[in-house]
Amino acid sequence: MRNLGRRVAAQFAVDRRVLALAFARMADGIGNSFLVIVIPLYVASDVVGGPTFGLAESMIIGIILSIFGFLNSSFQPLTGRFSDRAGKRKLFVLIGLAGLATMNVAYLFAESYLSLLVIRGLQGISVAFIIPASVALVNELATTDDRGGNMGVYNTFRLVGFGAGPVVAGAVVNAGPYTLPIGELSISGFDAAFYIAAITAIISFLLVTVLITDPESTRANASADLAIPVWDRTGPNLLDPIFTLGIASLFMATAIALFATIQPQVNAHLEQGATWFGLQFAAFIVAQILLQTPIGRACDRYGRRPFIVVGMFLLIPTTLAQGYVPTSETMFVARLLQGIAGAMVFAPSLALAGDLAGEGESGSKLSVLTMAFGFGIAIGPLSSGALVGYGFEVPFIFGTVLAVIGTILVYTQIEETLEQTQPVPFVGSD
């Protein structure tokens, strides 16, 4: 047992600033994922109203939720580039966290659907300051020998926060109103949820303020050439490897997110209730949490490319299977295996892009992957909503086609970045 504890501790042995940043992202992840559950309930309540412009309530909810992803992803290349130009990471993370906390409080005063849309959009822009700068900071605090492990630890804690928020969000809303001990004041369940989201962002802000510093290399290499090429100008392949990883990340995220918004169709197809759907949705996140760090560590030893290629290949059958599985249990297994596929791709891809990014370029280069993943998470639900009317399996066939294209791209266009690697049991390393 003691040896097991030591092995687990060794997996999370990273620069203290990386660990502090990971905890900060876990805290703001809890608050931000709270809103994924709370906002639909808020829209459906009598608290907000106003013109709907002829749209159904479900469409209003979809627009409010998706505006976050589209603006967040659209602004990431800009904020990543600006943080490179300025040679500052911590400042950009703090700006984003301050904006996130402020917008969480702003929900308390929202009275119309339009105001919710504006607030959620500003939140997306705020998080666009956080993601590229924080991933770049992790990259710059790491070395080639431990970059995958650092990315894995960072992603693990971030996903713990994202996964924990929805578990308790509905309970917080339903248990309201709450009576406060001061002056016998009372707040609704919605107000409590928004306060919790704001407090988690403030905790993250304080952690970053006290524990995070920019590496000297970030400031020394500010204003580097930040262009993102499409074509491979120096290597043997057609496409630039970072651009290729961005396309693969877009396709992977789209395939992953198809499941999220078709709960009624999934439940009807499998003749199951909401509990099973929740377990199936959580299976993907659980696999990510358990495997991000060990896979990140493994890709430092065995190479980045084998994990990315095998992960993309595994994405193909695990996506297609979701359109044809006959039982709730097999859907759970398919989602769990899809989570394994995602874990094999995400941390090694960030590590490979970090290997290729020159000093002072991390914000711009890595934002290609985070932007693409964010767009995929936004496109997936819209795609499944539009395609499921043609047949339950159609959205998953669409995701499978994307996974096949992504697999071909990474297999043909990505080269290994580590000079020395050990042989991998499941595939040869280049």
Side-chain angles (χ1 to χ4, degrees), residues 7 20 42 88 113 126 158 208 212 215 220 229 264 287 334 372 383 420:
R7 281 196 221 102
Y42 201 49
K88 298 180 184 296
Y113 302 125
S126 297
R158 179 181 62 84
V208 173
I212 302 298
S383 301
Q420 294 183 342

Side-chain angles (χ1 to χ4, degrees), residues 329-404:
E329 292 83 359
T330 49
M331 178 65 85
F332 179 87
V333 172
R335 289 284 298 171
L336 188 67
L337 292 174
Q338 193 183 49
I340 295 173
M344 295 183 74
V345 174
F346 200 57
S349 292
L350 286 172
L352 192 148
D355 293 341
L356 294 172
E359 293 185 342
E361 300 179 343
S362 295
S364 299
K365 302 298 188 185
L366 272 68
S367 70
V368 174
L369 273 66
T370 57
M371 173 194 68
F373 192 85
F375 271 129
I377 293 298
I379 292 171
L382 296 177
S383 301
S384 59
L387 294 173
V388 74
Y390 297 98
F392 179 78
E393 71 282 357
V394 173
F396 301 106
I397 293 173
F398 170 71
T400 302
V401 172
L402 295 182
V404 169

Side-chain angles (χ1 to χ4, degrees), residues 197-422:
I199 290 170
T200 57
I202 292 170
I203 291 172
S204 296
F205 186 95
L206 294 176
L207 285 172
V208 173
T209 300
V210 174
L211 299 176
I212 302 298
T213 56
D214 286 324
E216 288 297 328
S217 60
T218 302
R219 295 187 288 270
N221 291 282
S223 302
D225 180 15
L226 306 177
I228 305 296
V230 174
W231 312 111
D232 189 355
R233 299 170 182 171
T234 58
N237 298 315
L238 178 65
L239 298 176
D240 178 79
I242 293 181
F243 178 79
T244 302
L245 288 174
I247 297 297
S249 297
L250 172 67
F251 290 168
M252 178 183 70
T254 301
I256 288 167
L258 293 169
F259 187 80
T261 54
I262 55 173
Q263 179 176 171
Q265 292 86 350
V266 172
N267 291 343
H269 179 74
L270 298 177
E271 298 180 354
Q272 65 180 22
T275 300
W276 259 117
F277 184 87
L279 290 172
Q280 292 155 357
F281 185 85
F284 177 89
I285 298 175
V286 169
Q288 293 277 307
I289 291 171
L290 293 177
L291 294 176
Q292 283 276 343
T293 297
I295 286 176
R297 293 290 186 194
C299 82
D300 288 331
R301 176 179 296 180
Y302 301 113
R304 325 297 192 198
R305 184 177 182 273
F307 288 92
I308 299 171
V309 171
V310 173
M312 288 299 299
F313 183 81
L314 182 59
L315 186 66
I316 297 171
T318 56
T319 301
L320 184 62
Q322 293 174 48
Y324 294 94
V325 290
T327 66
S328 300
E329 292 83 359
T330 49
M331 178 65 85
F332 179 87
V333 172
R335 289 284 298 171
L336 188 67
L337 292 174
Q338 193 183 49
I340 295 173
M344 295 183 74
V345 174
F346 200 57
S349 292
L350 286 172
L352 192 148
D355 293 341
L356 294 172
E359 293 185 342
E361 300 179 343
S362 295
S364 299
K365 302 298 188 185
L366 272 68
S367 70
V368 174
L369 273 66
T370 57
M371 173 194 68
F373 192 85
F375 271 129
I377 293 298
I379 292 171
L382 296 177
S383 301
S384 59
L387 294 173
V388 74
Y390 297 98
F392 179 78
E393 71 282 357
V394 173
F396 301 106
I397 293 173
F398 170 71
T400 302
V401 172
L402 295 182
V404 169
I405 297 172
T407 303
I408 294 172
L409 286 175
V410 297
Y411 186 80
T412 60
Q413 303 298 308
I414 300 297
E415 303 292 333
E416 181 57 62
T417 53
L418 298 185
E419 294 183 1
Q420 294 183 342
T421 61
Q422 298 181 19

Side-chain angles (χ1 to χ4, degrees), residues 161-183:
F162 184 80
V167 173
V168 296
V172 169
V173 172
N174 293 328
Y178 300 90
T179 301
L180 302 180
I182 303 174

Side-chain angles (χ1 to χ4, degrees), residues 80-89 222-227 360 364:
R81 176 167 296 197
F82 289 155
S83 73
D84 284 344
R85 292 291 188 193
K88 298 180 184 296
R89 309 298 185 203
S223 302
D225 180 15
L226 306 177
S364 299

